[in-house]
mmCIF file of all heavy atoms in Angstrom:
data_model
loop_
_atom_site.group_PDB
_atom_site.id
_atom_site.type_symbol
_atom_site.label_atom_id
_atom_site.label_comp_id
_atom_site.label_asym_id
_atom_site.label_seq_id
_atom_site.Cartn_x
_atom_site.Cartn_y
_atom_site.Cartn_z
ATOM 1 N N ALA A 12 -1.226 5.358 28.906
ATOM 2 C CA ALA A 12 -1.765 4.872 27.635
ATOM 3 C C ALA A 12 -2.650 5.929 26.967
ATOM 4 O O ALA A 12 -2.621 6.079 25.746
ATOM 5 C CB ALA A 12 -2.547 3.587 27.856
ATOM 6 N N ALA A 13 -3.410 6.657 27.753
ATOM 7 C CA ALA A 13 -4.276 7.700 27.191
ATOM 8 C C ALA A 13 -3.448 8.845 26.610
ATOM 9 O O ALA A 13 -3.832 9.434 25.596
ATOM 10 C CB ALA A 13 -5.231 8.228 28.254
ATOM 11 N N ALA A 14 -2.311 9.152 27.221
ATOM 12 C CA ALA A 14 -1.432 10.193 26.689
ATOM 13 C C ALA A 14 -0.897 9.789 25.316
ATOM 14 O O ALA A 14 -0.853 10.610 24.386
ATOM 15 C CB ALA A 14 -0.288 10.475 27.660
ATOM 16 N N VAL A 15 -0.508 8.536 25.177
ATOM 17 C CA VAL A 15 -0.035 8.048 23.878
ATOM 18 C C VAL A 15 -1.177 8.067 22.865
ATOM 19 O O VAL A 15 -0.987 8.440 21.706
ATOM 20 C CB VAL A 15 0.582 6.641 24.014
ATOM 21 C CG1 VAL A 15 0.921 6.064 22.650
ATOM 22 C CG2 VAL A 15 1.820 6.685 24.895
ATOM 23 N N ASP A 16 -2.377 7.705 23.294
ATOM 24 C CA ASP A 16 -3.533 7.731 22.411
ATOM 25 C C ASP A 16 -3.853 9.164 21.985
ATOM 26 O O ASP A 16 -4.225 9.411 20.837
ATOM 27 C CB ASP A 16 -4.731 7.091 23.101
ATOM 28 C CG ASP A 16 -5.860 6.788 22.144
ATOM 29 O OD1 ASP A 16 -5.565 6.324 21.020
ATOM 30 O OD2 ASP A 16 -7.027 6.993 22.509
ATOM 31 N N PHE A 17 -3.687 10.109 22.890
ATOM 32 C CA PHE A 17 -3.878 11.524 22.555
ATOM 33 C C PHE A 17 -2.888 11.955 21.472
ATOM 34 O O PHE A 17 -3.256 12.613 20.506
ATOM 35 C CB PHE A 17 -3.706 12.392 23.804
ATOM 36 C CG PHE A 17 -3.539 13.853 23.496
ATOM 37 C CD1 PHE A 17 -4.636 14.614 23.120
ATOM 38 C CD2 PHE A 17 -2.301 14.456 23.575
ATOM 39 C CE1 PHE A 17 -4.486 15.959 22.829
ATOM 40 C CE2 PHE A 17 -2.143 15.800 23.291
ATOM 41 C CZ PHE A 17 -3.233 16.558 22.912
ATOM 42 N N LEU A 18 -1.630 11.554 21.638
ATOM 43 C CA LEU A 18 -0.625 11.917 20.644
ATOM 44 C C LEU A 18 -0.948 11.290 19.290
ATOM 45 O O LEU A 18 -0.729 11.893 18.243
ATOM 46 C CB LEU A 18 0.764 11.475 21.113
ATOM 47 C CG LEU A 18 1.286 12.165 22.367
ATOM 48 C CD1 LEU A 18 2.606 11.551 22.793
ATOM 49 C CD2 LEU A 18 1.419 13.663 22.156
ATOM 50 N N ARG A 19 -1.486 10.082 19.315
ATOM 51 C CA ARG A 19 -1.856 9.403 18.078
ATOM 52 C C ARG A 19 -3.038 10.090 17.393
ATOM 53 O O ARG A 19 -3.166 10.057 16.170
ATOM 54 C CB ARG A 19 -2.212 7.952 18.381
ATOM 55 C CG ARG A 19 -2.141 7.036 17.193
ATOM 56 C CD ARG A 19 -2.536 5.628 17.552
ATOM 57 N NE ARG A 19 -3.929 5.478 17.926
ATOM 58 C CZ ARG A 19 -4.940 5.557 17.075
ATOM 59 N NH1 ARG A 19 -4.734 5.802 15.828
ATOM 60 N NH2 ARG A 19 -6.177 5.402 17.504
ATOM 61 N N ALA A 20 -3.893 10.750 18.167
ATOM 62 C CA ALA A 20 -5.078 11.420 17.621
ATOM 63 C C ALA A 20 -4.782 12.809 17.065
ATOM 64 O O ALA A 20 -5.652 13.419 16.435
ATOM 65 C CB ALA A 20 -6.151 11.521 18.705
ATOM 66 N N LEU A 21 -3.567 13.296 17.270
ATOM 67 C CA LEU A 21 -3.206 14.610 16.726
ATOM 68 C C LEU A 21 -3.240 14.565 15.202
ATOM 69 O O LEU A 21 -3.047 13.508 14.594
ATOM 70 C CB LEU A 21 -1.804 15.002 17.192
ATOM 71 C CG LEU A 21 -1.643 15.376 18.652
ATOM 72 C CD1 LEU A 21 -0.165 15.566 18.981
ATOM 73 C CD2 LEU A 21 -2.414 16.632 18.984
ATOM 74 N N PRO A 22 -3.442 15.708 14.570
ATOM 75 C CA PRO A 22 -3.390 15.738 13.100
ATOM 76 C C PRO A 22 -2.021 15.272 12.589
ATOM 77 O O PRO A 22 -1.001 15.439 13.265
ATOM 78 C CB PRO A 22 -3.617 17.214 12.757
ATOM 79 C CG PRO A 22 -4.288 17.791 13.954
ATOM 80 C CD PRO A 22 -3.788 17.007 15.127
ATOM 81 N N GLU A 23 -2.016 14.701 11.411
ATOM 82 C CA GLU A 23 -0.788 14.136 10.834
ATOM 83 C C GLU A 23 0.341 15.170 10.772
ATOM 84 O O GLU A 23 1.493 14.851 11.072
ATOM 85 C CB GLU A 23 -1.075 13.585 9.437
ATOM 86 C CG GLU A 23 0.102 12.911 8.782
ATOM 87 C CD GLU A 23 0.539 11.641 9.485
ATOM 88 O OE1 GLU A 23 -0.318 10.935 10.021
ATOM 89 O OE2 GLU A 23 1.751 11.365 9.501
ATOM 90 N N ASN A 24 0.015 16.408 10.401
ATOM 91 C CA ASN A 24 1.046 17.448 10.317
ATOM 92 C C ASN A 24 1.677 17.720 11.683
ATOM 93 O O ASN A 24 2.885 17.913 11.785
ATOM 94 C CB ASN A 24 0.476 18.741 9.744
ATOM 95 C CG ASN A 24 0.135 18.612 8.276
ATOM 96 O OD1 ASN A 24 0.648 17.730 7.586
ATOM 97 N ND2 ASN A 24 -0.747 19.466 7.804
ATOM 98 N N ALA A 25 0.871 17.748 12.718
ATOM 99 C CA ALA A 25 1.395 17.992 14.069
ATOM 100 C C ALA A 25 2.294 16.848 14.511
ATOM 101 O O ALA A 25 3.351 17.068 15.103
ATOM 102 C CB ALA A 25 0.249 18.181 15.058
ATOM 103 N N ARG A 26 1.882 15.605 14.223
ATOM 104 C CA ARG A 26 2.729 14.456 14.585
ATOM 105 C C ARG A 26 4.042 14.492 13.823
ATOM 106 O O ARG A 26 5.097 14.147 14.363
ATOM 107 C CB ARG A 26 2.008 13.144 14.309
ATOM 108 C CG ARG A 26 0.948 12.836 15.335
ATOM 109 C CD ARG A 26 0.381 11.483 15.136
ATOM 110 N NE ARG A 26 -0.334 11.466 13.853
ATOM 111 C CZ ARG A 26 -0.937 10.415 13.353
ATOM 112 N NH1 ARG A 26 -0.911 9.277 13.971
ATOM 113 N NH2 ARG A 26 -1.570 10.505 12.212
ATOM 114 N N TYR A 27 4.014 14.937 12.571
ATOM 115 C CA TYR A 27 5.235 15.019 11.773
ATOM 116 C C TYR A 27 6.172 16.082 12.336
ATOM 117 O O TYR A 27 7.367 15.829 12.504
ATOM 118 C CB TYR A 27 4.881 15.320 10.309
ATOM 119 C CG TYR A 27 6.092 15.478 9.439
ATOM 120 C CD1 TYR A 27 6.812 14.361 9.024
ATOM 121 C CD2 TYR A 27 6.524 16.729 9.031
ATOM 122 C CE1 TYR A 27 7.935 14.495 8.227
ATOM 123 C CE2 TYR A 27 7.638 16.883 8.242
ATOM 124 C CZ TYR A 27 8.346 15.763 7.839
ATOM 125 O OH TYR A 27 9.470 15.901 7.060
ATOM 126 N N VAL A 28 5.645 17.262 12.639
ATOM 127 C CA VAL A 28 6.467 18.365 13.167
ATOM 128 C C VAL A 28 7.061 17.997 14.523
ATOM 129 O O VAL A 28 8.214 18.312 14.816
ATOM 130 C CB VAL A 28 5.631 19.669 13.261
ATOM 131 C CG1 VAL A 28 6.357 20.743 14.037
ATOM 132 C CG2 VAL A 28 5.275 20.163 11.865
ATOM 133 N N LEU A 29 6.281 17.304 15.357
ATOM 134 C CA LEU A 29 6.741 16.927 16.694
ATOM 135 C C LEU A 29 7.525 15.609 16.706
ATOM 136 O O LEU A 29 7.932 15.153 17.765
ATOM 137 C CB LEU A 29 5.542 16.814 17.646
ATOM 138 C CG LEU A 29 4.777 18.117 17.874
ATOM 139 C CD1 LEU A 29 3.499 17.829 18.647
ATOM 140 C CD2 LEU A 29 5.638 19.123 18.611
ATOM 141 N N HIS A 30 7.714 15.003 15.535
ATOM 142 C CA HIS A 30 8.456 13.737 15.397
ATOM 143 C C HIS A 30 7.842 12.629 16.257
ATOM 144 O O HIS A 30 8.543 11.911 16.967
ATOM 145 C CB HIS A 30 9.939 13.924 15.752
ATOM 146 C CG HIS A 30 10.602 15.008 14.976
ATOM 147 N ND1 HIS A 30 10.901 14.874 13.643
ATOM 148 C CD2 HIS A 30 11.010 16.254 15.332
ATOM 149 C CE1 HIS A 30 11.481 15.990 13.212
ATOM 150 N NE2 HIS A 30 11.553 16.842 14.224
ATOM 151 N N LEU A 31 6.531 12.495 16.183
ATOM 152 C CA LEU A 31 5.822 11.506 16.998
ATOM 153 C C LEU A 31 5.395 10.276 16.211
ATOM 154 O O LEU A 31 4.854 9.339 16.794
ATOM 155 C CB LEU A 31 4.580 12.143 17.631
ATOM 156 C CG LEU A 31 4.835 13.281 18.603
ATOM 157 C CD1 LEU A 31 3.517 13.920 19.007
ATOM 158 C CD2 LEU A 31 5.578 12.786 19.816
ATOM 159 N N ASN A 32 5.622 10.256 14.918
ATOM 160 C CA ASN A 32 5.157 9.133 14.107
ATOM 161 C C ASN A 32 5.768 7.807 14.554
ATOM 162 O O ASN A 32 5.092 6.788 14.558
ATOM 163 C CB ASN A 32 5.428 9.382 12.625
ATOM 164 C CG ASN A 32 4.479 10.408 12.046
ATOM 165 O OD1 ASN A 32 3.364 10.536 12.503
ATOM 166 N ND2 ASN A 32 4.940 11.146 11.061
ATOM 167 N N GLY A 33 7.015 7.805 14.936
ATOM 168 C CA GLY A 33 7.650 6.568 15.403
ATOM 169 C C GLY A 33 6.995 6.039 16.671
ATOM 170 O O GLY A 33 6.725 4.843 16.790
#
Side-chain angles (χ1 to χ4, degrees):
V15 173
D16 194 41
F17 165 76
L18 295 175
R19 200 181 67 72
L21 289 173
E23 183 66 34
N24 290 339
R26 284 187 294 179
Y27 177 76
V28 169
L29 297 171
H30 305 288
L31 297 173
N32 286 331

